[in-house]
Amino acid sequence: MAPLSLLGSDDALYVCVPVDSHKEFVTRALIKLMALKKSDCEKITSRINDLYIGTKFGSGFEVSASGKFPPNYAKASLTEKNGWEAYTYRSYDYFVQKSSAMELSVPCAENIMLSYKISDLLDRFDAAQSGSAGAADENESYAQTKAFLESNGSKDILFVSSRPDLFFYAFTGTKLTLGVDKIKGTFFDVPQAAETYGVNLVLEMADTRTIKAAIRLLQMALFGTPAKITQTGDSQISVTDITLTWDEILDLISK
């Protein structure tokens, strides 16, 4: 089951992580999201191929990943002794972490999912399995987002936001009305910078008449950083030369 299809179609930010190229980052992410020991998170990371995260910024996030998980993998690992309680939803087992209320399920041998409301992902999984109306209520914008995240083939971490207002507030702490339709970006390795990624953003403008004003607002919002802000097309603005630590990125994703 394609893991991205199990995320909701109304999230403000989608992130795709090719795990083989970012194993240490994924382990750090699991430690933060699941509050497990590093050794346990490393075991989970070793079984994941592609990791997708969807967040609404401030009202929860979802994680869906592809991989290889043997039968009863979750049941054997997520025990009451380890701080988890087992439940059943529809025909699927899921597990709730007592300390954080985080919920996890492995509905088949190829998928694992994590959320504070796992029933939403399991509903989409069940719909896809039964062949009923799509795993998510797709619109054209969401279809374009999926195409970018799933077909790029990049070793970088890719992300898309169709709620630029929420993204920039989470990213800069500043409320910006920019006339931006969508943001696409990458997190990529920076040589000789431990636990740090470079960041590239492409802003797709809804109205080309607002580009100059948007650039000025971006310059003010990113003042004090070495960000390079340029118009790179009739309706696009590129922001480059930014870096974020892994913890800063995880704080952004898990808001």
Side-chain angles (χ1 to χ4, degrees):
M1 184 73 62
L4 179 56
S5 297
L6 302 178
L7 300 181
S9 61
D10 60 345
D11 287 333
L13 177 69
Y14 296 91
V15 182
C16 170
V17 186
V19 175
D20 277 349
S21 301
H22 302 276
K23 289 184 177 180
E24 291 186 19
F25 174 77
V26 171
T27 295
R28 175 73 64 84
L30 294 176
I31 291 171
K32 182 178 181 66
L33 299 178
M34 298 176 62
L36 295 179
K37 295 186 298 183
K38 182 179 180 180
S39 58
D40 292 333
C41 291
E42 287 174 336
K43 292 176 183 177
I44 296 173
T45 298
S46 69
R47 294 186 173 278
I48 298 176
N49 296 327
D50 292 302
L51 179 77
Y52 291 86
I53 303 171
T55 178
K56 293 180 172 60
F57 290 131
S59 58
F61 62 89
E62 301 174 324
V63 176
S64 177
S66 62
K68 295 181 179 178
F69 305 94
N72 296 319
Y73 172 78
K75 187 174 291 186
S77 305
L78 307 178
T79 63
E80 187 172 352
K81 181 180 178 181
N82 292 332
W84 295 80
E85 293 182 342
Y87 297 89
T88 300
Y89 179 75
R90 294 182 181 265
S91 59
Y92 306 107
D93 293 328
Y94 73 98
F95 303 84
V96 179
Q97 190 178 50
K98 297 177 185 178
S99 61
S100 68
M102 181 63 65
E103 300 177 357
L104 183 148
S105 182
V106 183
C108 69
E110 293 80 33
N111 289 97
I112 188 170
M113 53 183 65
L114 183 72
S115 174
Y116 285 110
K117 191 179 178 183
I118 206 73
S119 58
D120 288 346
L121 286 94
L122 290 172
D123 282 342
R124 296 179 202 121
F125 182 88
D126 205 46
Q129 289 289 94
S130 64
S132 58
D137 181 19
E138 292 191 17
N139 51 43
E140 183 178 354
S141 177
Y142 182 64
Q144 292 173 354
T145 292
K146 286 181 63 178
F148 172 73
L149 295 176
E150 291 182 328
S151 66
N152 189 280
S154 172
K155 291 184 178 181
D156 296 331
I157 297 172
L158 305 180
F159 61 92
V160 177
S161 176
S162 57
R163 288 296 307 273
D165 53 336
L166 296 179
F167 176 85
F168 273 106
Y169 184 70
F171 187 64
T172 67
T174 304
K175 291 185 177 181
L176 301 173
T177 303
L178 298 172
V180 184
D181 180 56
K182 183 179 293 183
I183 298 169
K184 296 179 180 178
T186 58
F187 298 129
F188 55 92
D189 286 320
V190 177
Q192 299 178 338
E195 299 186 1
T196 299
Y197 284 139
V199 185
N200 286 340
L201 305 175
V202 175
L203 286 62
E204 298 181 354
M205 305 301 294
D207 186 345
T208 58
R209 295 172 297 180
T210 66
I211 286 182
K212 290 183 179 179
I215 289 174
R216 288 195 294 270
L217 286 170
L218 285 166
Q219 288 170 337
M220 288 188 288
L222 297 171
F223 181 77
T225 72
K228 182 179 180 181
I229 304 166
T230 56
Q231 182 176 347
T232 52
D234 291 340
S235 60
Q236 289 186 340
I237 298 172
S238 291
V239 183
T240 60
D241 297 357
I242 303 173
T243 60
L244 291 174
T245 67
W246 289 359
D247 287 336
E248 288 172 332
I249 292 170
L250 292 174
D251 285 343
L252 175 71
I253 292 171
S254 62
K255 283 183 180 292

